[in-house]
Amino acid sequence: MGDRVAMIEDACRHMDSRGIKVLRTSGLWETEAMYVKEQSSFINGVCEVETSLGPFELLDELQKIETSMGRMKIIDKGPRNIDLDILLYGDKVVDDPRLSIPHRLLLERPFVLHPLCELIPNASLPHPHSAIPFRTHLANLPTPSAPLSTLTPLSPTHPPLTPLTPTRRTQLMAILNLTPDSFSDGGLHTPTNLTHTISTLLTSGATILDLGGQSTRPGAAPINPQEELSRILPAIPLIRSLPHGNQAIISIDTHRASVAHAAIRAGADMINDVSGGTLDPEMLPTVAKLRCTICLMHMRGTPQTMTSQTSYPRGLLPTLAADLLARVRAAEEAGVRRWRMVLDPGIGFAKDGEQNLEILRRLGELREMEGLKGLPWLVGVSRKGFIGKITGVGVPRERGWGTAACVSAAVCGGADVVRVHDFGEMRSIVRMGDAIWRV
């Protein structure tokens, strides 16, 4: 069936171009096939759309999209590359041989109710149908033989993140700072040793490389976009030219839309924005057009001001959840699909030492908060200042043991990706953590 996520994204693009505006989407849920069992698993999602088309006109346009994308229906409910159904249409009820609204099988399909409940959990079928909320119908379905999970693609060459799969492996993101002034490894990776550094990471099993050209340490002075790009862009083709480099996921640590655009066009895969799209209003629309995944991190202010913004009178976790949900909503409004989002609680960014510890202690709670469940989480704790204060280790490069404890806590709390400097050592920590907790 090819790249299934790309096909769904193509279908959304076709809808937008035909007067069917996609307002927001659920995550994508991978499920075993129903009815016809001898076929591969399906990927399913729900879109909320706005259109002036009537129900039958909408059906006609959706079928035209299916045809234009090469759908051929050979077996009823059998394999197909795209399948666009109308589940609900406001409060309308339609009973026709061509079209039934609400969809007749809506309430019996977990692969429909799961994504539908991400968008409208407290809604119900229109009168005269059942007034029971969709979330209650979902809770009353039989427990599936295998847990269902959302999926988040990072690149076409790598399996997606599946944050609701209990046995999933924690991914490691190796930090590759190309800056002279980063807090722990500034100036370490130079053009003369970069090939060796990247080769060592790749041969050690690194699958995600996070390239940074602008330091985000507290108080770091900003540089211009051209200088940031001059540091990042040469590394992308270098990575791709090395053994295993074509399989690596290249992440770009930037808050600038222009840098993100140039880097993705040069061959990078995803964007890691410490501001969650707040420092450049063009970032989220740019990511939407690029159709790449973005990590939305929680931060207040800027790297220059964030240390003075650590007051959370409404409680740390409720505020983090509300702030991150606001970023998710902003990304949706800009056209970023929910399945293209990763969240980061922003440890060390507008948080003091005790707040950092609380996040690690309660990460599992944060993952379950309203509107955030099903999204994957990235956690970056490597060598940070609060570790030095607790352990008494002043030199950032010597904070490996403290970092290891924090990485273990992140794995225990359900992190999908951990961002680290000491890749080899942290790989062993993660493998051990997965063996203990990911069962």
Side-chain angles (χ1 to χ4, degrees):
M1 291 296 171
D3 188 334
R4 296 173 296 171
V5 175
M7 289 178 185
I8 290 173
E9 291 178 333
D10 282 344
C12 290
R13 180 175 55 81
H14 281 297
M15 284 192 280
D16 280 331
S17 69
R18 290 172 179 260
I20 310 166
K21 181 176 175 57
V22 178
L23 300 178
R24 59 185 182 134
T25 64
S26 70
L28 293 179
W29 293 74
E30 186 163 23
T31 59
E32 294 179 352
M34 290 183 72
Y35 313 116
V36 179
K37 298 290 187 179
E38 293 76 26
Q39 55 184 321
S40 300
S41 60
F42 280 25
I43 293 178
N44 309 276
V46 171
C47 298
E48 180 183 355
V49 305
E50 181 180 75
T51 183
S52 61
L53 300 173
F56 288 96
E57 294 172 305
L58 177 59
L59 177 64
D60 290 340
E61 288 301 317
L62 295 179
Q63 290 178 340
K64 289 176 184 177
I65 292 172
E66 291 176 337
T67 301
S68 72
M69 294 183 65
R71 175 177 174 177
M72 295 179 63
K73 187 173 182 178
I74 301 171
I75 303 172
D76 185 38
K77 299 181 177 63
R80 59 270 198 197
N81 64 329
I82 196 71
D83 186 14
L84 303 175
D85 288 326
I86 303 172
L87 301 177
L88 300 162
Y89 190 107
D91 59 359
K92 286 186 181 296
V93 174
V94 177
D95 186 9
D96 184 88
R98 284 193 67 211
L99 179 63
S100 294
I101 300 176
H103 195 286
R104 285 195 180 98
L105 302 177
L106 188 158
L107 297 181
E108 72 176 51
R109 292 175 163 179
F111 61 81
V112 173
L113 283 175
H114 273 287
L116 188 63
C117 284
E118 287 185 308
L119 298 182
I120 48 172
N122 298 314
S124 60
L125 296 178
H127 182 76
H129 295 278
S130 167
I132 297 172
F134 292 129
R135 68 161 73 229
T136 304
H137 285 290
L138 177 60
N140 290 336
L141 287 180
T143 302
S145 56
L148 304 186
S149 180
T150 51
L151 60 82
T152 299
L154 301 183
S155 84
T157 62
H158 197 271
L161 301 177
T162 55
L164 300 180
T165 301
T167 57
R168 70 195 185 281
R169 301 298 91 183
T170 308
Q171 302 297 308
L172 283 94
M173 173 182 277
I175 298 169
L176 194 60
N177 283 323
L178 306 173
T179 55
D181 59 342
S182 290
F183 80 98
S184 78
D185 57 357
L188 185 63
H189 307 308
T190 64
T192 56
N193 65 17
L194 192 56
T195 299
H196 174 73
T197 300
I198 295 171
S199 295
T200 300
L201 288 170
L202 292 173
T203 55
S204 298
T207 54
I208 311 175
L209 303 179
D210 193 39
L211 312 185
Q214 159 74 63
S215 176
T216 54
R217 62 179 171 80
I223 60 173
N224 63 55
Q226 291 73 29
E227 186 173 357
E228 186 178 355
L229 280 170
S230 73
R231 297 172 179 177
I232 290 171
L233 288 183
I236 297 172
L238 174 58
I239 293 169
R240 297 300 187 210
S241 71
L242 297 172
H244 310 295
N246 274 331
Q247 299 302 309
I249 299 166
I250 300 178
S251 168
I252 303 300
D253 181 359
T254 185
H255 64 263
R256 291 188 170 111
S258 61
V259 174
H261 184 273
I264 295 295
R265 291 299 187 212
D269 297 296
M270 64 175 287
I271 300 301
N272 182 14
D273 184 352
V274 298
S275 80
T278 61
L279 294 182
D280 186 340
E282 292 303 313
M283 175 61 90
L284 297 178
T286 296
V287 167
K289 291 173 186 174
L290 293 169
R291 289 166 59 174
C292 66
T293 295
I294 182 170
C295 181
L296 302 168
M297 197 189 80
H298 181 272
M299 182 177 72
R300 288 173 160 184
T302 69
Q304 294 76 42
T305 64
M306 62 185 179
T307 56
S308 64
Q309 301 190 41
T310 59
S311 176
Y312 295 85
R314 293 186 292 119
L316 179 63
L317 254 64
T319 304
L320 256 63
D323 289 351
L324 284 169
L325 185 57
R327 299 320 304 153
V328 169
R329 296 287 182 254
E332 288 175 334
E333 289 174 9
V336 180
R337 308 307 180 200
R338 188 177 175 90
W339 59 78
R340 287 292 184 182
M341 302 182 204
V342 178
L343 301 181
D344 182 338
I347 288 177
F349 288 78
K351 288 94 180 170
D352 60 28
E354 182 52 46
Q355 291 164 344
N356 293 328
L357 295 174
E358 183 179 352
I359 291 170
L360 288 172
R361 199 178 295 125
R362 301 177 64 190
L363 180 61
E365 294 177 51
L366 187 58
R367 292 176 63 241
E368 295 290 323
M369 288 195 164
E370 188 75 24
L372 304 182
K373 187 173 181 179
L375 289 166
W377 289 80
L378 183 152
V379 175
V381 292
S382 190
R383 301 179 178 177
K384 291 195 172 177
F386 78 101
I387 297 173
K389 288 180 181 178
I390 293 171
T391 60
V393 178
V395 179
R397 293 183 197 176
E398 297 176 4
R399 295 172 185 162
W401 291 110
T403 295
C406 293
V407 166
S408 293
V411 175
C412 178
D416 300 278
V417 182
V418 290
R419 185 176 181 271
V420 299
H421 293 90
D422 305 299
F423 180 84
E425 295 87 340
M426 296 308 128
R427 180 182 57 179
S428 296
I429 297 297
V430 164
R431 282 181 177 175
M432 206 62 226
D434 283 346
I436 296 168
W437 293 298
R438 302 292 169 90
V439 292

